[in-house]
Amino acid sequence: MDGNYTKEENSVLRMETSRLVLRDYKPEDFEEYFRLKSDPKVMYYLQDIKLHSLEEARRDFAEVLEDLNSPERKYYFFHIEIKDTKETVGSAGYTVTDRTPAGMFVHAGYFIYPRFWNQGYTTEAFSKVIQFAFAESDVYRITTGCLQENAGSERVMIKCGMVKEAEHTDWEWHDGKVKTRVEYRLLCSEYSFYK
């Protein structure tokens, strides 16, 4: 790890930006993890991974913690907090979908508390995740996407230099309506390490 990324004594990966700390989850984060992933506003566009009960959350969180030290680690989603106040902002990261000789293919995302929207935190955190993925984690291709109506999320993808690959008209059933989805990608070869 270089100066931007550190491993704490208990093997927790930690990264910093000018305002934020991004780090692996720890056992003591369970309540915050459940609160974030069960929040109806935070998870409005992520119904498939929203948590609905403490029991479901315990199973989900146990899987996250178990995966942290796996030689074939799959989940790289990080707890995000304000550097000065330790206040939880949300989570950002990626899931490994394939391992190839060229590098890993991953699907990325972020979920942030509404009080931190429109302040640049999501872009700051997701930019750091992308930098880590390409510089430290042998990632070859990052993909992500959102419903077209989720303009704030799409703006983050654009600000982070991602490339629009597709627009799927009437692609997904969400909140009682058929909605259009947009898909973005970034390849290691397209990423500038000198931002």
Side-chain angles (χ1 to χ4, degrees):
M1 298 279 167
D2 67 19
N4 292 318
Y5 316 99
T6 60
K7 280 272 193 178
E8 296 178 352
E9 282 182 26
N10 54 0
S11 296
V12 172
L13 181 65
R14 176 187 167 93
M15 305 175 260
E16 291 189 10
T17 66
S18 60
R19 299 182 292 173
L20 304 171
V21 171
L22 289 77
R23 61 165 174 80
D24 283 336
Y25 281 97
K26 304 176 185 180
E28 56 267 31
D29 295 322
F30 171 72
E31 287 184 15
E32 186 53 58
Y33 182 84
F34 174 59
R35 188 166 70 92
L36 178 70
K37 289 192 69 178
S38 61
D39 185 287
K41 287 185 179 176
V42 172
M43 305 306 289
Y44 177 70
Y45 288 111
L46 299 163
Q47 297 294 317
D48 57 325
I49 60 169
K50 181 181 178 185
L51 297 173
H52 300 92
S53 70
L54 274 171
E55 184 179 331
E56 182 185 18
R58 284 191 187 97
R59 285 195 306 269
D60 191 64
F61 194 61
E63 187 178 347
V64 167
L65 294 181
E66 184 179 350
D67 182 65
L68 287 178
N69 295 308
S70 167
E72 294 288 301
R73 182 172 173 175
K74 181 177 179 181
Y75 305 112
Y76 288 84
F77 272 85
F78 304 103
H79 169 87
I80 307 167
E81 61 187 39
I82 302 289
K83 193 183 289 186
D84 297 334
T85 65
K86 309 293 187 207
E87 190 175 5
T88 299
V89 173
S91 183
Y94 54 86
T95 300
V96 178
T97 57
D98 197 10
R99 284 179 162 84
T100 77
M104 294 189 292
F105 287 29
V106 304
H107 188 74
Y110 33 82
F111 30 106
I112 307 295
Y113 281 117
R115 66 183 176 276
F116 296 111
W117 294 352
N118 301 313
Q119 298 174 60
Y121 288 116
T122 311
T123 301
E124 188 174 326
F126 193 50
S127 293
K128 192 66 172 180
V129 167
I130 291 171
Q131 183 184 46
F132 169 78
F134 290 137
E136 301 290 331
S137 193
D138 191 34
V139 170
Y140 178 79
R141 178 184 174 90
I142 299 173
T143 58
T144 192
C146 64
L147 292 181
Q148 189 177 50
E149 69 182 41
N150 191 359
S153 183
E154 186 176 12
R155 222 171 14 253
V156 169
M157 297 169 201
I158 293 167
K159 285 180 180 177
C160 288
M162 300 197 80
V163 178
K164 187 174 182 179
E165 281 199 310
E167 182 174 309
H168 302 294
T169 304
D170 291 350
W171 180 260
E172 189 175 324
W173 182 260
H174 178 265
D175 199 19
K177 298 175 185 173
V178 178
K179 297 181 179 180
T180 296
R181 182 174 176 83
V182 292
E183 300 285 350
Y184 280 76
R185 69 131 207 284
L186 192 60
L187 304 180
C188 187
S189 60
E190 296 170 324
Y191 180 73
S192 170
F193 288 89
Y194 304 102
K195 292 185 176 184

